[in-house]
Amino acid sequence: MGILLLEQTLNGLQFSVTLFLIAAGLTLVFGVMNFVNLAHGSLFMVGAYFAAWFAGVFGSFWLGLLCALPATALVGLVIEVLVLRRLYAKDHMVHVLATFALILIFNDLVRIVWGPLPLPLDLPTGLAGAINLGPVPYSSFRLVIMLSGVLVGLLLWFLVTRTRIGMWVRAGANNREMAIAMGVNVKWLYTAVFTFGTVLSALAGVMLGPFVAVESGMGDGVLILAFVVVVIGGIGSVLGAAAGALIVGVVDTLGRTALPALLSALLPPTIATSLGSALGSMMIYLVMVLVLFWRPSGLFPANT
Amino acid sequence: MKVLISRSTLVWVLLFGLLALFPWLATVAGQDFYIGVVIRIMIFAIAASSLNLILGYGGMVSFGHAAFFGLGAYAASIAVVHGADNVWLVWALAALVGGLSAFAVGYVATRTRGAYFIMITLAMGQLFYFLFVGLRQYGGDDGLRMPARPGLGLGLDISSEMVFYAVVLLWTLLMHLMLARLVRSRFGLALEAVRENEQRMGAIGYSTRQYRIIAFVVAGVMAGVAGALLAMHNQFVSPKMLHWSQSGTLMIMVALGGMGRLHGGFLGAAALLLLEEVLSSYFSYWHIYVGAVLLLVVMVSPDGLAGLGRLFRRAPAATTGGGRNQ
Amino acid sequence: MKTNKLLLGMTSVLTALSLNAQAADSIKIGFLTTLSGPASAPGIDQSDAFKLALKQLGGKLGGLPAEMISVDDQFSPDAAKQGADRLLRRDKVDVLTGVIYSNVLLAVTPAAIANKTIVLSSNAGPASIAGKDCSPYFFSVSWQNDAPHEAGGKYMLDKGYKRVAVIAPNYPAGKDAATGFKRFYKNELAIEMYPKLGQLDFAAEIAQLRAANVDAIYYFLPGGMGVNFTKQYSASGMDPKIVRVFQGYDADQQMLTVGDLINGIVNTGQWSSDMDNEANKLFVSEFTKTYGRVPSTYASQAWDAAYLLDAAVRNVGGKIEDREAFIAAIKEAKGFKSVRGDFKFARNHFPIQNQYARVVTKMPDGKYLNKMVGPVLKDHSDAYIGECAMK
């Protein structure tokens, strides 16, 4: 029992960090540019596809990672310059529609290029197994994912709070007109931020690629998760994304583990499993609704 | 109030006339399959128009609208499965369910703004979706069959396609007229004003949240009835109808047709469904074309098809001009 | 004289007209399947196989020129209904086939049956259609949804595993899978888990499996979910002695993606690509030659659908307009050489067939093959036949 508890706690934590990794790119774009980017999931998917493809070509996961990031960044840059740039000033409706269109396009595009079956993407050799953390065997690659999530978090925090670019980013997030008036080249700042956000999305895709099916539509579920995290935590702040990720990760893991166990203790087994799994699916949405009802702008929004 | 018969009204009267004659024309031409196609277009036209009310006129980007559509369909199917045989009762039930759920969602969602609003509507829509996916008694993911259409009375047989077509056409006409009256009424104007500048409206004493919630409820009722009609048309309903991708489809329709334009929902539903029908017979990768068309529309003509006329005129009409900043 | 000629003319015209109204000069097949979107791989497989079979048969079924009209169901019962309507009413197809998913099948079957069009399911086999909603116009050339799960249960019972886990998504098909499994695996389960449909991360479930000390896991995780679970399971240091069993049709597809990770895993189904009969040898070689990949279970079913129709049409001499006779011919399946060997229908028009255990095996050339192990259930028919009123 103790081992299970330990493992599940680790899992909850790991899932939280994974969620943060997924949501990081989104919260940046959201916060700075006030842009609802539904294509975030598609960029995640493109990152995973590039990683799978390059890894297959070079026979190495790490080379796949190294090539996938700039490749996806290029894709992000292209759509920013060609399409999204004209839409920043318009309202959220337009963002939603345009990026929804991109989801449709990308989902078919990857099928055209790589076919309808999932692409193989193996774990890097050496990290494919588990190591023993005391009594608990834990997947080594999951630990690497956690590490990358933490590193990304630190990087973002450093960039945003300690550098000049970060200052511009915060200025742009808080008050765009003022930032322009103060001489910040907002147009290229936005391009840079979006491209960086793309790289983060792609990184999440590459890191998760070995654990999930690399297939058309894989970004859709990820997109919703990312949004839930960002919205609960508050748009535009790294702290918010971290808080949101922690809450969602823990709640979801609890919902899948503790809840069925709790219900089994109280109700007959068949009802317990049905109710438990039904509630488990709805858990994170319920939490989001509750949080937003209490705090309509999330927990730690950037703009107060 | 004087009624001026404008050119556009004339066009629409003609259009409805044509729609009324269509089933006979189709049968004579031996193409009665298309009667079903038009029925489906009209049903989605009602659903899209209901979204247009909150999205176009109300400025609220609701990504969970399909939930009301699907709830209406399920309410109708479940009622029939349990023995309801009166279509008026079933419609009333669907309208009630649509309206109540819209009230619940609207009440919670209107506490938020912007992207938070979008997400909370999406989340609540997904809650309903997962509810029905898991609901074994009513089919879950396999869907629920409606054994027979509930009776119309009046000596008419609603299982006949011609009769059903007439029923759907009448509903479409009714919803269209209702929407027209609503958006031109004080309520409609206030709603649009709230969309344009909520602060100012609040400052002059309007309870802006109330207007939004009422709009939600009206839209929910419309969508619920549309859902019931679709369930009756297919004699089948599945949780897919509540999925956020279905909400996305409805949004595409509104965008294509023209947000905040009276005929936006109708034009958009017709355009998208016809586009899908044509494209899917030729390409297996037709989603890409739909996406491209949507992108084009969003970038070139933000007022959709309804606004195309404007592009070819000299100066824009002074209706809802100006930016639509949040 | 003139009157005679006129009469003669009229008679010949009338005869010609009545002849046209009688004999069908071609057979139209409505192929409604999932061709777009993420869930399209099985549909594309079936479409490929059916087209190949038609080509092998010279574009004819039982001597009648065959026209295959493909429609994409978009993985949506609503869109499928419209697509089916088009096939039934505008194209006036004689047979509707190709449907992969149960919810689509359930949506379109009633209208087809009311239209007296034959529905030949090449994949989905929901319990209701096997049981209380059975119809003479419906045939399944594939399997009833519970079959591979029942076989899984029997396999585990025979092997004597004591601590067994079952994992399936939380929706009726998942629950049915568990029920089917438990119908044959009579012992108590160590743990049952029902993750959310489309779930990405299975770390929590894997931890519970570890804690429950299972010696065997039966899982039904279709599509991407299965790949996710497999990838994560393999990385989490679970005891390699734990046996995993799942379904053949998923195994066929997963072999192409995560072959290494499912090497040696048992899966259940009614067909295997190494089955030793003439029809299967032809099928596998032609399919591999034409499409560059080993055919899947889905493909085998579509191929069989074509050949079944071929035999049936031949047995009625091309007179498919006589629906009763055509139905009887399909039911009898005389002369039909399935890629599974001998084939017969039960009275509810579902197949009576063996369910086999197969094992994913790495071949010397590095590719994977789902190798036949042996039959688990022999001459097996489904559990719902008792509810079917047909004789």
Side-chain angles (χ1 to χ4, degrees):
Chain A
M1 195 43 169
I3 296 184
L4 180 62
L5 202 62
L6 191 64
E7 195 176 352
Q8 296 297 33
T9 312
L10 210 56
N11 283 330
L13 225 62
Q14 183 263 161
F15 191 42
S16 299
V17 176
T18 307
L19 287 173
F20 176 78
L21 192 59
I22 291 173
L26 186 67
T27 203
L28 199 64
V29 167
F30 229 153
V32 176
M33 296 149 40
N34 197 17
F35 185 73
V36 182
N37 181 23
L38 293 184
H40 172 73
S42 302
L43 295 167
F44 171 95
M45 174 179 74
V46 170
Y49 262 99
F50 272 135
W53 188 48
F54 284 119
V57 164
F58 296 124
S60 151
F61 173 83
W62 301 109
L63 280 178
L65 169 71
L66 226 56
C67 299
L69 293 183
T72 317
L74 192 63
V75 171
L77 186 67
V78 165
I79 60 178
E80 202 272 343
V81 169
L82 286 183
V83 177
L84 304 180
R85 193 173 258 206
R86 302 150 208 273
L87 306 175
Y88 295 140
K90 310 242 173 115
D91 50 69
H92 282 159
M93 240 179 292
V94 178
H95 303 171
V96 165
L97 290 166
T99 48
F100 188 77
L102 286 175
I103 295 180
L104 292 176
I105 293 175
F106 276 116
N107 272 342
D108 258 2
L109 211 57
V110 296
R111 273 203 325 144
I112 292 176
V113 173
W114 284 294
L117 284 172
L119 276 192
L121 177 56
D122 295 329
L123 288 166
T125 40
L127 288 172
I131 62 168
N132 284 315
L133 298 175
V136 179
Y138 206 72
S139 157
S140 349
F141 197 69
R142 279 194 195 273
L143 293 171
V144 172
I145 292 179
M146 279 178 86
L147 189 67
S148 34
V150 169
L151 283 176
V152 165
L154 288 173
L155 177 71
L156 276 181
W157 174 78
F158 181 78
L159 273 180
V160 171
T161 55
R162 292 264 186 274
T163 62
R164 189 171 252 189
I165 294 183
M167 191 176 67
W168 294 339
V169 160
R170 275 179 297 150
N174 273 317
N175 195 325
R176 190 189 167 175
E177 285 86 7
M178 197 55 115
I180 296 177
M182 303 285 270
V184 179
N185 186 339
V186 176
K187 188 165 105 172
W188 285 107
L189 178 69
Y190 277 24
T191 305
V193 170
F194 188 82
T195 310
F196 186 53
T198 303
V199 171
L200 289 177
S201 309
L203 180 66
V206 175
M207 295 309 286
L208 290 186
F211 273 151
V212 299
V214 178
E215 58 179 359
S216 168
M218 70 184 289
D220 300 349
V222 164
L223 176 71
I224 307 247
L225 275 179
F227 264 99
V228 171
V229 166
V230 163
V231 160
I232 287 181
I235 293 178
S237 75
V238 176
L239 178 62
L246 193 63
I247 292 176
V248 173
V250 169
V251 165
D252 189 69
T253 310
L254 278 180
R256 287 188 280 145
T257 55
L259 191 63
L262 187 68
L263 288 175
S264 307
L266 300 170
L267 300 164
T270 34
I271 302 186
T273 11
S274 295
L275 194 63
S277 15
L279 278 179
S281 328
M282 312 201 285
M283 216 43 166
I284 56 172
Y285 298 116
L286 282 171
V287 169
M288 181 164 107
V289 171
L290 283 169
V291 168
L292 285 184
F293 197 74
W294 175 53
R295 282 251 189 287
S297 293
L299 295 171
F300 304 108
N303 314 341
T304 34
Chain B
M1 215 174 119
K2 267 195 184 165
V3 175
L4 295 156
I5 301 183
S6 68
R7 187 177 50 179
S8 79
T9 315
L10 202 63
V11 168
W12 284 93
V13 165
L14 280 173
L15 196 64
F16 273 114
L18 203 67
L19 278 176
L21 288 174
F22 180 78
W24 280 275
L25 295 173
T27 315
V28 160
Q31 299 289 340
D32 62 338
F33 155 69
Y34 289 99
I35 300 178
V37 174
V38 176
I39 289 179
R40 196 154 164 262
I41 289 178
M42 289 194 288
I43 293 175
F44 274 97
I46 299 175
S49 292
S50 73
L51 179 61
N52 195 10
L53 180 64
I54 20 184
L55 182 66
Y57 288 94
M60 299 181 270
V61 186
S62 166
F63 224 120
H65 200 67
F68 314 133
F69 190 40
L71 278 167
Y74 266 101
S77 302
I78 292 175
V80 173
V81 162
H82 283 292
D85 195 30
N86 183 331
V87 80
W88 306 95
L89 192 71
V90 169
W91 284 334
L93 190 66
L96 188 71
V97 167
L100 279 177
S101 53
F103 178 76
V105 174
Y107 185 80
V108 173
T110 51
R111 279 173 65 89
T112 62
R113 294 279 175 279
Y116 301 99
F117 182 88
I118 301 174
M119 277 316 293
I120 205 169
T121 51
L122 192 151
M124 294 185 85
Q126 286 297 90
L127 277 174
F128 285 118
Y129 167 74
F130 278 114
L131 181 71
F132 281 102
V133 165
L135 217 54
R136 158 137 253 163
Q137 302 87 298
Y138 299 119
D141 197 60
D142 274 351
L144 183 66
R145 226 190 111 207
M146 184 190 277
R149 293 178 187 156
L152 186 59
L154 307 173
L156 293 166
D157 177 21
I158 201 172
S159 60
S160 135
E161 194 171 44
M162 294 295 223
V163 172
F164 189 64
Y165 182 96
V167 163
V168 173
L169 180 62
L170 285 172
W171 265 117
T172 310
L173 188 63
L174 184 70
M175 293 295 194
H176 180 82
L177 288 173
M178 199 182 84
L179 190 68
R181 291 257 27 207
L182 193 67
V183 301
R184 285 168 194 158
S185 71
R186 280 192 62 171
F187 173 83
L189 294 172
L191 185 68
E192 285 194 89
V194 167
R195 178 194 75 207
E196 290 302 311
N197 196 326
E198 189 175 359
Q199 257 185 329
R200 192 191 301 156
M201 285 300 278
I204 59 177
Y206 278 84
S207 170
T208 58
R209 193 168 163 218
Q210 258 183 33
Y211 276 85
R212 293 202 147 127
I213 295 179
I214 294 175
F216 244 89
V217 173
V218 173
V221 166
M222 281 177 81
V225 172
L229 289 173
L230 190 64
M232 288 169 65
H233 175 57
N234 287 336
Q235 287 181 251
F236 190 82
V237 59
S238 91
K240 274 243 158 21
M241 261 182 90
L242 296 108
H243 195 250
W244 67 269
S245 51
Q246 181 75 280
S247 293
T249 305
L250 291 173
M251 286 178 82
I252 296 179
M253 289 177 180
V254 176
L256 277 181
M259 294 181 274
R261 303 301 224 93
L262 180 60
H263 311 301
F266 301 90
L267 285 173
L272 184 65
L273 290 176
L274 287 173
L275 195 68
E276 274 186 11
E277 177 82 11
V278 168
L279 286 177
S280 64
S281 11
Y282 290 114
F283 308 106
S284 58
Y285 297 111
W286 54 273
H287 284 118
I288 225 181
Y289 294 104
V290 172
V293 168
L294 178 63
L295 211 53
L296 208 68
V297 168
V298 163
M299 289 172 68
V300 167
S301 171
D303 280 331
L305 292 170
L308 272 184
R310 193 191 270 191
L311 281 180
F312 296 112
R313 272 185 236 131
R314 278 163 290 126
T319 49
T320 59
R324 289 204 189 123
N325 294 320
Q326 279 275 356
Chain C
M1 284 291 280
K2 267 193 186 166
T3 339
N4 274 351
K5 264 198 183 164
L6 191 60
L7 269 174
L8 197 64
M10 276 175 66
T11 330
S12 33
V13 167
L14 280 172
T15 327
L17 280 174
S18 59
L19 273 177
N20 278 340
Q22 295 276 38
D25 52 2
S26 70
I27 178 170
K28 286 193 178 153
I29 312 289
F31 204 84
L32 179 71
T33 194
T34 311
L35 293 170
S36 66
S40 55
I44 294 177
D45 245 10
Q46 291 224 331
S47 181
D48 284 347
F50 197 85
K51 285 189 184 138
L52 188 64
L54 275 184
K55 202 170 92 178
Q56 282 291 309
L57 292 164
K60 295 197 176 137
L61 289 173
L64 275 186
E67 190 187 345
M68 175 187 175
I69 306 171
S70 277
V71 169
D72 177 13
D73 67 24
Q74 304 174 32
F75 195 32
S76 152
D78 175 53
K81 187 78 178 28
Q82 169 134 313
D85 268 354
R86 190 191 319 147
L87 289 168
L88 296 170
R89 298 168 65 183
R90 193 189 72 178
D91 304 322
K92 304 210 193 322
V93 299
D94 302 295
V95 178
L96 186 68
T97 189
V99 177
I100 302 282
Y101 298 103
S102 289
N103 53 6
V104 169
L105 189 68
L106 287 168
V108 305
T109 299
I113 292 179
N115 199 42
K116 297 205 186 315
T117 304
I118 291 168
V119 177
L120 178 61
S121 175
S122 52
N123 195 60
S128 53
I129 303 190
K132 58 179 171 62
D133 292 331
C134 64
S135 155
Y137 284 90
F138 180 92
F139 285 91
S140 160
V141 74
S142 51
W143 36 278
Q144 198 278 316
N145 286 354
D146 291 5
H149 312 304
E150 293 172 322
K154 181 77 166 43
Y155 178 82
M156 290 219 186
L157 185 74
D158 288 346
K159 289 285 185 182
Y161 299 120
K162 291 290 185 293
R163 298 195 57 77
V164 171
V166 168
I167 310 173
N170 180 31
Y171 71 135
K175 301 287 175 65
D176 281 348
T179 311
F181 180 85
K182 287 189 260 188
R183 196 173 290 136
F184 280 79
Y185 183 79
K186 304 278 207 276
N187 306 332
E188 202 180 304
L189 291 174
I191 185 171
E192 283 176 70
M193 292 189 281
Y194 298 99
K196 171 172 90 186
L197 199 60
Q199 184 165 301
L200 286 172
D201 187 281
F202 290 93
E205 281 78 10
I206 295 172
Q208 286 180 293
L209 287 171
R210 203 197 305 277
N213 240 320
V214 297
D215 52 11
I217 303 170
Y218 183 75
Y219 63 101
F220 169 59
L221 293 168
M225 280 183 88
V227 175
N228 297 5
F229 176 74
T230 302
K231 283 185 174 183
Q232 293 168 32
Y233 182 92
S234 306
S236 43
M238 292 290 279
D239 185 353
K241 287 203 295 297
I242 299 177
V243 169
R244 279 176 285 163
V245 176
F246 67 134
Q247 303 75 44
Y249 47 84
D250 267 344
D252 289 342
Q253 310 235 281
Q254 282 186 27
M255 283 194 320
L256 303 167
T257 313
V258 287
D260 272 343
L261 303 177
I262 55 172
N263 196 10
I265 297 204
V266 171
N267 52 96
T268 54
Q270 77 273 4
W271 170 82
S272 172
S273 60
D274 58 349
M275 276 172 103
D276 191 13
N277 61 71
E278 287 305 312
N280 197 36
K281 291 210 183 98
L282 175 69
F283 167 57
V284 174
S285 67
E286 284 302 309
F287 194 95
T288 317
K289 196 167 68 186
T290 313
Y291 297 112
R293 63 182 194 273
V294 176
S296 65
T297 306
Y298 297 112
S300 74
Q301 291 156 194
W303 175 280
D304 268 353
Y307 274 82
L308 172 66
L309 288 171
D310 176 61
V313 173
R314 185 168 298 114
N315 291 342
V316 286
K319 293 199 176 47
I320 56 173
E321 60 282 356
D322 180 354
R323 288 290 191 242
E324 272 192 33
F326 190 31
I327 287 175
I330 299 178
K331 170 95 181 350
E332 210 192 330
K334 194 168 77 168
F336 167 46
K337 302 264 190 304
S338 161
V339 298
R340 293 162 252 181
D342 289 329
F343 186 92
K344 69 177 183 285
F345 280 114
R347 66 181 176 84
N348 63 355
H349 292 187
F350 273 76
I352 301 177
Q353 59 192 348
N354 297 347
Q355 290 289 329
Y356 301 96
R358 315 135 84 205
V359 65
V360 177
T361 315
K362 190 164 189 173
M363 305 308 305
D365 64 356
K367 292 222 175 98
Y368 289 92
L369 179 69
N370 227 331
K371 244 172 146 186
M372 171 69 74
V373 173
V376 177
L377 292 168
K378 288 210 169 115
D379 292 324
H380 177 68
S381 60
D382 58 80
Y384 304 97
I385 195 169
E387 297 166 28
C388 172
M390 292 200 298
K391 298 268 175 286

